[in-house]
Amino acid sequence: MIEAAVIGVGQTKYEAKRRDVSMGGLVRKAIDKAMLAADVDWDAIDAVILGKAPDMFEGVMMPELSLVDAIGANGKPLLRVHTAGSVGGSTAVIAASHVCSGNFDTVLTITYEKQSESNATWALSPKYPYSPHINAGAGGYFAPYMREYIRRYDAPENIGWKVAVKDRLNALKNPLAHLQIPGIDENMVAETPMLWDPLRYLESCPSSDGACAMIISNKKLAYSRNAAWIKGMAVRSEGTLSAGRDEVNPQGGQDCAKDIYDQAGITNPFKEIDCAEIYVPFSWYEPMWLENLHFCDLGEGWKLTERGATEIEGEIPFNMSGGVLSSNPIGASGMIRFGEACLQVTNQAGDHQVDGANVAMGHAYGGAAQFFAMWIVSNKK
Amino acid sequence: MTKSSDKELLRASFKLEYPYERSPGPVIGKFFDELSNEVLVGTKNSKGEVFVPAAEFDPKDSEHLSEFVEVKNEGVVQSYTWIKKPRAHHLIQESFAFALISMEGTDSAMLHMIANCNENELEIGKRVKVVWNEEKTQTIRDIKYFEIIDD
C-alpha cells in the first residue's frame, strides 16, 4: 500500500516567453507556491527530485546542478529524472517512491521548461549520420499514428476539432493556462492551416515556458493537511520501431494503466474515476488515449468525445485545466497533469473544478508514444 | 582470425549546433547591466552577507536575494592557478592567472583573471583591482581582468 500524498501543488503562469525570470527564478516561483500550499518550510524538505526534457532544449547541461540554490537542494539528496515528454509524470512517481521507501518523510519535486531559450522542435530532430534526417517535429511524428486511428475506426474529421475547442474553452477557466482564445469554435479550428496532415494549427499544443512543483509527504504531514493520497502509480517503456508494436494503441500505455487501476482497486475506470488530466498535445490523442487507458472499448473513444463525455460536466472529464493543448512547458507538462489531478480531488481547482471529484487520474507520455507515467489520486486515505 | 582494423569499420563525423537565447532575470541581469556602467553590484542576505557576483538565491539556505549593494572595485585573491603559456583560446595571450577573487566587503568569491604581473608577485591574500574593458557587452568580459594593487 502506498503511503504518500501530495500536500502542495505550485504552478507558474504559462506563457510563450518568460523573459522576466531566469531559469532558477522560474523554477522557484512554482516551488514557493507549492511550499505555501503545503504549509512547509525548507527544514521539512528531505530530498529534491527535478525533472525536465532534453538539456538541448535550453542548452544547459545538467541544469539540476546549477539550480541547487534555487531549488533548495544544498545539503540534501538531489536526483534528476529524464524520460522525454513523460518526464513530468515519471518525476512525480520517482519522488513519491522516495517517500514510499520510508527513507524520506517529505520530498520536493519540480519540473520545468523554458522553451523560449531555444527552438525545441529542432532539438528533437538532430541530424545524425547513418539515420534519415526526418526533421518532422513531434506533430509530424505523431500525425501518421492519428491518420491510422482515423482509418481504423472511421472517425469523423471534426473529432479533432472538438477536442481542440473543448480544451481551449476549459483553459478560459484556468488563469494559469497559456492559450486563452475566447470564442473558439470548430470553424475557427478548421480554418487554421494544416500543419501535419491531419493536424491543423489549433489542434496542436503551444510552446510554453513554465514550471510545476509538488510537495509529497507521508502521513506525518499529510494527515493534518488537504491531501491527495496516491492510490496507484506506475511507469512503462517500450521500443521505438520494434516489430509488432501498435503505435496507435501502445502496449506500454495499456499495461501502465492496468497496473495503476489494480493498485487502486479500480475495475471500471470510466465509472470509478471522476476526472482525468491526460497528456493530449495533439487533438486526436484524446480519443486514442480514452481507448488505450481502458475508459472504453477500441473504436469507441471518438464516440465518447463526440457525445461530450470528456467535457467538464461530462461523464469522464478530460483536461479540465485546458491540458497540454493549452500550456506546454514540455518538462513540466506531465507533472501539471499529475498536480491538476491532485487539485481536483482536494477541491482546489477553482473555476475548472469538477464538482465532487474524489478520484482523479494523471497521465503523461513521451518519446514516440513509448514512455508512460500515470497515477491515481484520491482525497481518501 | 584476422583482427579488424579501424579503417574497415565505418565512421562519420558530424557537427551539432543550435541557436539559443538566455534571459538572466532581474538579479543576474542587473549584475551584468551594471558592469557596463563600470559598477560592481552584489546581493545582500538577511544576515548581512554580500555575494558578488550577485546571487539570486542564498547559496546556503536558498533565501530569495533582492537587496542590491554596490561594492568597491577591489578585492583579495583567495586562490589562483598560473597560466604560463596561454593557448590560442585564452582571452589573454601573455602569462596570467585564473583566480578566485573575493571583492572587498563580500562573503563570496568570483572567478576571473589576473594579468600584468609576474608569477612571483602573485600570492594568496594579494589585493587586486578591476581593469575595465573599454568596449562594454553587458557580460563578465566587461571586466577585462584584475591587476595587483601596488602597496
Side-chain angles (χ1 to χ4, degrees):
Chain A
M1 189 174 151
I2 299 168
E3 291 269 348
V6 174
I7 59 169
V9 178
Q11 303 179 63
T12 63
K13 166 82 178 118
Y14 304 114
E15 284 173 29
K17 294 175 195 298
R18 290 295 307 258
R19 287 188 171 128
D20 58 316
V21 285
S22 65
M23 232 171 272
L26 179 74
V27 162
R28 185 59 175 268
K29 277 181 190 291
I31 293 175
D32 287 346
K33 286 167 96 173
M35 289 177 71
L36 185 69
D39 189 25
V40 296
D41 57 25
W42 288 114
D43 293 342
I45 306 297
D46 301 315
V48 181
I49 314 293
L50 180 142
K52 74 173 291 296
D55 291 352
M56 265 201 284
F57 282 6
E58 289 91 355
V60 179
M61 298 303 115
M62 298 184 284
E64 66 281 9
L65 304 185
S66 54
L67 288 173
V68 160
D69 48 3
I71 62 179
N74 185 26
K76 293 172 184 176
L78 166 65
L79 185 72
R80 156 80 180 276
V81 181
H82 178 200
T83 60
S86 69
V87 66
S90 50
T91 305
V93 171
I94 300 301
S97 303
H98 273 60
V99 174
C100 294
S101 76
N103 290 325
F104 306 92
D105 286 332
T106 304
V107 171
L108 162 66
T109 182
I110 168 84
T111 50
Y112 77 97
E113 211 69 59
K114 205 157 184 275
Q115 290 209 62
S116 64
E117 306 218 346
S118 80
N119 189 327
T121 291
W122 311 131
L124 281 171
S125 301
K127 204 172 180 174
Y128 292 132
Y130 305 121
S131 35
H133 188 217
I134 298 171
N135 214 9
Y141 210 98
F142 293 134
Y145 303 174
M146 293 178 249
R147 159 83 56 225
E148 167 60 7
Y149 175 81
I150 293 166
R151 184 204 65 81
R152 215 180 265 187
Y153 303 117
D154 202 16
E157 187 179 21
N158 75 322
I159 296 300
W161 307 340
K162 265 186 96 78
V163 175
V165 170
K166 185 260 294 173
D167 281 6
R168 270 54 170 272
L169 289 176
N170 287 347
L172 293 172
K173 297 173 182 162
N174 177 8
L176 299 179
H178 174 179
L179 292 187
Q180 302 280 340
I181 312 173
I184 188 170
D185 59 19
E186 287 184 41
N187 284 335
M188 192 194 285
V189 177
E191 282 167 13
T192 57
M194 191 69 89
L195 284 190
W196 301 282
D197 182 26
L199 271 180
R200 292 183 180 275
Y201 180 76
L202 274 179
E203 292 179 87
S204 305
C205 55
S207 170
S208 316
D209 286 355
C212 178
M214 297 194 295
I215 312 292
I216 304 179
S217 191
N218 58 21
K219 56 191 176 188
K220 278 186 201 160
L221 288 181
Y223 271 149
S224 58
R225 284 164 173 80
N226 188 6
W229 293 92
I230 301 161
K231 311 303 279 186
M233 58 182 185
V235 297
R236 286 292 188 283
S237 314
E238 65 183 48
T240 310
L241 296 165
S242 45
R245 171 168 129 88
D246 184 358
E247 288 89 350
V248 175
N249 185 23
Q251 191 66 44
Q254 298 181 47
D255 293 350
C256 194
K258 278 207 181 88
D259 191 346
I260 63 165
Y261 299 154
D262 286 349
Q263 291 175 48
I266 289 171
T267 52
N268 183 340
F270 182 77
K271 285 212 163 67
E272 294 168 62
I273 295 172
D274 297 318
C275 57
E277 283 279 340
I278 304 298
Y279 207 101
V280 177
F282 303 103
S283 60
W284 282 95
Y285 265 105
E286 177 177 295
M288 287 161 72
W289 290 152
L290 274 164
E291 298 170 23
N292 184 247
L293 304 175
H294 319 294
F295 285 97
C296 59
D297 291 335
L298 296 181
E300 299 297 311
W302 68 263
K303 294 170 193 166
L304 284 181
T305 296
E306 186 177 50
R307 75 170 198 231
T310 54
E311 289 171 11
I312 207 161
E313 314 259 298
E315 300 148 272
I316 178 66
F318 259 36
N319 297 321
M320 301 68 69
S321 68
V324 183
L325 277 171
S326 304
S327 314
N328 187 30
I330 300 178
S333 294
M335 187 167 285
I336 298 168
R337 313 275 72 72
F338 279 50
E340 283 284 344
C342 297
L343 294 177
Q344 288 289 342
V345 300
T346 53
N347 197 27
Q348 299 181 81
D351 289 344
H352 61 282
Q353 176 70 45
V354 171
D355 283 341
N358 294 313
V359 178
M361 178 171 174
H363 161 278
Y365 84 94
Q370 67 197 116
F371 304 115
F372 300 91
M374 303 174 199
W375 79 10
I376 298 284
V377 286
S378 164
N379 49 23
K380 292 176 188 68
K381 170 82 170 72
Chain B
M1 220 170 96
T2 53
K3 198 178 162 191
S4 65
S5 70
D6 273 358
K7 68 175 182 182
E8 286 174 296
L9 296 171
L10 280 178
R11 55 183 175 158
S13 60
F14 70 103
K15 191 174 178 182
L16 189 61
E17 62 180 16
Y18 297 104
Y20 291 102
E21 179 184 285
R22 197 65 75 223
S23 312
V27 178
I28 312 297
K30 186 176 170 70
F31 173 77
F32 288 122
D33 200 25
E34 291 292 346
L35 284 183
S36 65
N37 300 322
E38 301 199 348
V39 173
L40 268 174
V41 295
T43 44
K44 193 183 201 175
N45 70 11
S46 56
K47 297 184 207 84
E49 293 168 316
V50 175
F51 306 98
V52 174
E56 195 172 357
F57 304 97
D58 189 302
K60 292 190 202 91
D61 65 10
S62 293
E63 176 195 347
H64 276 279
L65 303 178
S66 54
E67 186 186 345
F68 292 100
V69 286
E70 200 176 311
V71 301
K72 266 180 84 172
N73 296 345
E74 297 177 11
V76 172
V77 177
Q78 274 197 353
S79 193
Y80 64 91
T81 180
W82 188 251
I83 310 294
K84 194 168 193 155
K85 288 182 183 166
R87 296 190 176 203
H89 67 267
H90 284 119
L91 294 172
I92 298 172
Q93 287 301 304
E94 286 161 20
S95 300
F96 72 99
F98 281 116
L100 282 170
I101 300 160
S102 185
M103 302 310 294
E104 195 174 305
T106 70
D107 300 87
S108 60
M110 77 168 151
L111 179 65
H112 217 287
M113 299 170 289
I114 300 172
N116 287 342
C117 66
N118 296 317
E119 188 178 3
N120 60 12
E121 293 174 86
L122 195 56
E123 56 189 24
I124 290 173
K126 203 80 176 168
R127 290 182 53 75
V128 291
K129 67 176 182 205
V130 171
V131 175
W132 298 100
N133 234 328
E134 269 182 37
E135 189 199 339
K136 299 298 192 292
T137 55
Q138 293 175 305
T139 70
I140 196 67
R141 290 196 192 179
D142 288 352
I143 297 176
K144 198 171 185 182
Y145 47 76
F146 285 74
E147 62 184 16
I148 292 173
I149 298 172
D150 294 325
D151 296 323

